[in-house]
Every structure is written in structure tokens, then in C-alpha cells.
């Protein structure tokens, strides 16, 4: 299946999704971007970002250690 997890908490949302082998979009209106996941700073960016991320291959499962 195709799962794209959208979340605003790096540790619980994005790291968890990446560890499970899912694609992820990190909503960070006030925080720093992270290279491991697509990021948005405004919700208006979400539709286009979801379309871009859906075309990418799913990542390999990763350990939950902090990079």
C-alpha cells in the first residue's frame, strides 16, 4: 500500500513513520527542516507535497535512533 504520514512532531510522527518504512511529510511552521523527510511550513503546501512524495519510492525501514 501507499502510506504517507503527515505530522508535526519529529520524534513521534516522522521518525516513527520512517522507521515503519512509510513516506512522511513534516509540518514545521516554526521549526527547522529535516533532510530525512519532505517538509512544509504552511498547510496550503500539503496537496502539492503529497503529490510529490507519492511519486517517490518508499524508504527502507530505519532504526529509531536520533540522527
Amino acid at each position: 500500500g501507499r502510506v504517507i504520514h503527515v505530522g508535526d512532531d519529529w520524534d513521534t510522527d516522522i521518525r516513527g513513520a520512517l522507521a515503519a518504512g512509510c513516506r512522511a511529510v513534516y509540518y514545521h511552521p516554526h521549526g527547522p527542516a529535516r533532510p530525512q523527510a519532505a517538509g512544509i511550513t504552511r498547510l496550503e503546501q500539503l496537496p502539492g507535497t503529497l503529490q510529490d512524495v507519492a511519486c517517490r519510492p518508499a524508504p527502507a525501514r530505519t532504526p529509531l535512533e536520533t540522527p
Side-chain angles (χ1 to χ4, degrees):
R2 295 174 124 182
V3 174
I4 302 173
H5 185 92
V6 179
D8 64 350
D9 186 282
W10 181 260
D11 289 329
T12 59
D13 292 327
I14 306 306
R15 283 181 51 222
L18 295 175
C22 298
R23 296 167 185 90
V25 175
Y26 180 37
Y27 174 58
H28 57 99
H30 305 293
R34 303 281 184 119
Q36 301 93 328
I40 60 172
T41 56
R42 295 183 338 271
L43 291 176
E44 293 83 14
Q45 298 169 307
L46 187 56
T49 303
L50 287 174
Q51 196 167 34
D52 292 343
V53 171
C55 293
R56 299 179 191 168
R61 293 180 67 160
T62 58
L64 285 176
E65 289 83 32
T66 301

